[in-house]
Amino acid sequence: MVFVNKSIFFRIFTLISVVLLTSSLNFYAFGQGIENDGLNKIVIDPGHGGSDPGTIGSKTYEKNITLSIALKLGTLIKDTFPNVEVIYTRKNDKFVPLDERTRIANSEKADLFISIHCNANPSRSPYGTETYVLGLHKSEDNLDVAMRENAVITYEDNYSSKYEGYDPKSTESYIIFTLMQNAYLDQSLKLANDVQTEFREQIHRFDRGVKQAGFLVLWKTSMPSILIETGFLSNSKEEAFLNTDSGQDHIANAIFKAFSYYKKTYDIRNSVVSKIEPTIVNDSSVSNQEKPDITFKVQIKSSRKRIPLAPKNFKNLNGIDEIVSDGTYKYTVGNKKSYSEIVEYCQQVRKKFPDAFIIALKGSKIIPLDIALKEISI
C-alpha cells in the first residue's frame, strides 16, 4: 500500500482539477471549430544539452545525436511545408530546463510537440525504437526510462520546489500520473503509432512499440506531444548507426514521414470541423433514449493497416473489436458502462498487453476520457 501525505495529495488534486478544466475547454473549442486552421506550428525538442550529456555511449553523447536528428527533422519540415513554423527548444549545445521546454511550446501555442532522445540499458543487448505518450508507466521498463529522462531536473537549482515536490527517484512521485488523463492522448497516440510504423516499415528498425510513462517534459504541454527513443546507445551496433549522418538521416526521415501523414489527417479533420456551424441542443427536448450511451473499452493495439480479428493476432484474447479513427485501426476488448468495472478489467488485460489503456465512446465516437467521466457523473 502506498501512503501519500496531505500536501502531496493536495497538489495532485489541484493538478487534476486544472487538467480536467483545460481538457474540457480544449474539447469545447475543437467541437466549435475555434482556431482550427490546420497544423501550422511544431516545437521540436532535442533532449538534454550543455552540462547534461544524457545517455553516454562508448563514443557518443545523447545530447549531440538528438540535436543533429532534430535539426535534420526541422529542415525536412521547412523544405516541404514552408507555411509550418518550426521552433526548437535548443539549436545548439546548451542546457534547457524541462519546464522551459514546456513553456516554449505553450507560449508559442504550438500544434505539436516532439521530444527526441536516445535510450540506454544496463544490459548491452536491448535495441530498437519506442515512442512514448504521457501516462502511467505500465511496466518497470517504462518506469526506468521515465526516471532516467526525468532525472535531468537534478541539474536545475531548487528543482524540488520548482516541480512541486516532485522527486524523479521516488516511485511515490509517479502516483500523479495514475490520476491524470492527457487531453490530447488520442492524437498523441496516433502520431506515436505513425512514428513507430515508419521506423519499422521504412527503415527496418526493431519496433519496441508505443508506450505510456510519466515524462515531465510532456506533463504540462497543452498540445499533442510525444517522446521518441531513437535507439540504444548502450548497444554497440545501434550506437554506431545513430552516430552516422546516414543513420540520423534515416531516423529524421522516418519521423518526418509520420509527421506528414499526421499533418494530412489533422488538416483534413480540422478543415471539416471548422465548416460545421455550432448547434445548440435543448437538453429538455431530448429524451434519455435518444442520447448515445457512454461506454468504456480497453485499447490494446493500433495500426495503420487492418489486422485480422483472429485471437492468435492478439495473444489469444477473444472479443476483439475494431474501431477506425482518422485512418488508424484501433483494436479494443471489453465493453463496460461502469468505469470501475473497466478499470478492473484493464488490469487483467495488462497481464498480456502492459501498455493497454482505457478509452471512452459516446455511441460509436471516441471522446476524451475526462469528458465521459463528467457526463456519467451528471
Side-chain angles (χ1 to χ4, degrees), residues 46-54 61-68 71 89-96 101:
H48 308 280
S51 58
D52 169 27
Y61 289 158
E62 178 181 3
K63 66 177 184 177
N64 297 330
I65 293 175
T66 60
L67 179 59
S68 179
L71 295 175
T89 56
R90 67 181 180 97
K91 296 182 71 174
N92 49 41
D93 185 21
K94 70 175 183 178
F95 177 73
V96 181
R101 297 169 192 256

Side-chain angles (χ1 to χ4, degrees), residues 132-153:
Y132 285 86
V133 299
L134 179 68
L136 169 65
H137 65 276
K138 308 301 194 308
S139 70
E140 289 305 312
D141 285 344
N142 293 16
L143 177 60
D144 289 344
V145 174
M147 281 185 158
R148 176 169 52 78
E149 298 294 1
N150 290 348
V152 169
I153 66 173

Side-chain angles (χ1 to χ4, degrees), residues 146-323:
M147 281 185 158
R148 176 169 52 78
E149 298 294 1
N150 290 348
V152 169
I153 66 173
T154 59
Y155 286 86
E156 304 176 31
D157 294 331
N158 302 317
Y159 73 84
S160 182
S161 59
K162 191 175 180 182
Y163 292 94
E164 304 174 26
Y166 179 89
D167 179 358
K169 296 179 181 179
S170 168
T171 55
E172 186 183 71
S173 289
Y174 287 79
I175 192 173
I176 196 168
F177 297 108
T178 72
L179 302 173
M180 286 180 63
Q181 176 67 37
N182 189 343
Y184 299 95
L185 179 62
D186 192 54
Q187 294 156 283
S188 300
L189 283 167
K190 174 174 173 49
L191 176 59
N193 182 69
D194 287 345
V195 169
Q196 286 301 121
T197 297
E198 294 300 331
F199 281 153
R200 181 182 67 249
E201 297 185 359
Q202 299 302 320
I203 61 174
H204 311 295
R205 309 309 294 170
F206 178 67
D207 180 6
R208 296 174 62 89
V210 173
K211 302 179 179 182
Q212 291 180 270
F215 290 99
L216 282 175
V217 77
L218 304 181
W219 182 9
K220 293 184 180 179
T221 52
S222 56
M223 72 283 303
S225 307
I226 63 172
L227 185 147
I228 303 170
E229 295 284 2
T230 57
F232 285 78
L233 296 187
S234 50
N235 181 290
S236 57
K237 289 185 178 179
E238 203 143 70
E239 180 187 17
F241 171 79
L242 290 170
N243 196 35
T244 62
D245 267 343
S246 61
Q248 293 166 10
D249 285 339
H250 283 310
I251 293 292
N253 269 285
I255 301 172
F256 168 71
K257 287 182 179 178
F259 166 81
S260 301
Y261 186 80
Y262 177 88
K263 174 174 167 53
K264 179 180 178 181
T265 56
Y266 182 102
D267 290 350
I268 291 173
R269 179 184 60 199
N270 284 0
S271 175
V272 170
V273 170
S274 64
K275 294 176 182 177
I276 299 175
E277 291 296 328
T279 302
I280 299 175
V281 178
N282 186 341
D283 284 342
S284 62
S285 66
V286 181
S287 68
N288 290 333
Q289 289 75 18
E290 292 173 327
K291 293 181 180 179
D293 285 336
I294 289 178
T295 55
F296 301 97
K297 292 177 174 288
V298 177
Q299 183 171 321
I300 57 175
K301 187 178 289 189
S302 63
S303 173
R304 199 182 298 173
K305 296 181 179 179
R306 174 167 275 157
I307 301 173
L309 298 181
K312 66 179 181 180
N313 295 326
F314 300 91
K315 300 183 180 180
N316 294 319
L317 276 181
N318 292 305
I320 305 296
D321 289 325
E322 177 185 273
I323 301 172

